[in-house]
Amino acid sequence: MSRRRPTRSTPATSADDLLTTLGRLTAQARRGAELQHARVELAEALQREMLPAVLPALPGLRTAARYAPARTGLDIGGDWYDGFTLPDGTLALCVGDVQGHDVEAAAIMGQVRIGLRAVAATATDPGEVLSRANDLLLSVGSSLFATCSFLRFDPATWELQSARAGHVASVWATADGRSGVAEDAGGLPLGIQPGEAYPVTRRRLTEAGVFVLLTDGVVEGPSFPIEEGLAMVAGVLAQGLRAGSDPGELAAEVMKVAELTGHSDDAAVLVLCHDAGPPDG
């Protein structure tokens, strides 16, 4: 039996099929990349529109914040900061991080932020604010959860009340050169368990200094663990106070720590610079 020789058209036909397939796959990849790019741009636009343009301040208390998007553009959407004056004249400040990224996380972030503002107007302390916000997030049926630190500053007593829901610890420094990490007790992230309680820590700000809220993208990444990142921030704050830096300069210096972590997440920093309040008693 003689072997059948391939015709001249066979290789040409195969090459045409291959080119057609490659063209189709390239078009699909392009559409996928364009869709992902559009989702990232939407998430970033949503997030930036939801972050406050101006933070409140009071005599003796100055604030500033910084936000940095994810380096890769894929982890945008979860972090936020906020500050607003409450009906009784106290000042509320918070920082948080929604689990997950992209458009859904940005949308949930907006809901949590607005929910915190709503419940803070009638809640008695930061612990109650977080507890009610937790139940509110559970009621909307989202599969995502959020971590958060919430502060309330009373200008009449110069007391700072704080509570946190599964969030990274805050960092502080005083004008006399001391600094540290505020490892206060906390509760579970928002949106996990109904009826969760959040203990409140109270501080009298009797010495001039700074108190900083941040997200884990600032202090944790492949380059070093979160404990090392927090210690670096404490050192940055102490050095900044010695140099007489204002809140905006301190926030910018803290954000530089995020650039060293090797992280791919977004990052947020909120700085409270305070004068010395009245002595205890």
Side-chain angles (χ1 to χ4, degrees), residues 57-171:
L58 294 169
L61 184 72
R62 301 163 300 283
T63 58
R66 293 289 186 275
Y67 169 78
R71 291 182 178 180
T72 63
L74 298 178
D75 292 334
I76 190 79
D79 289 16
W80 87 88
Y81 61 84
D82 201 5
F84 49 97
T85 303
L86 295 168
D88 61 0
T90 60
L91 190 65
L93 298 142
C94 62
V95 160
D97 183 3
V98 175
Q99 169 245 359
H101 304 96
D102 208 343
V103 178
E104 183 183 5
I108 293 297
M109 179 269 285
Q111 292 179 343
V112 174
R113 177 173 170 258
I114 296 303
L116 286 167
R117 281 185 171 238
V119 300
T122 57
T124 59
D125 60 45
E128 184 183 354
V129 171
L130 293 182
S131 181
R132 292 170 60 181
N134 174 61
D135 293 339
L136 183 62
L137 182 57
L138 286 168
S139 71
V140 302
S142 172
S143 61
L144 302 181
F145 63 82
T147 67
C148 178
S149 286
F150 192 95
L151 304 183
R152 185 171 184 171
F153 173 74
D154 188 342
T157 63
W158 220 251
E159 182 180 71
L160 187 67
Q161 302 177 356
S162 62
R164 60 177 179 148
H167 199 69
V168 60
S170 303
V171 186

Side-chain angles (χ1 to χ4, degrees), residues 8 12 15 39 104 128-129 149 198 205 215:
R8 290 181 178 274
R39 290 178 64 86
E104 183 183 5
E128 184 183 354
V129 171
S149 286
Y198 299 92
L205 304 180
T215 59

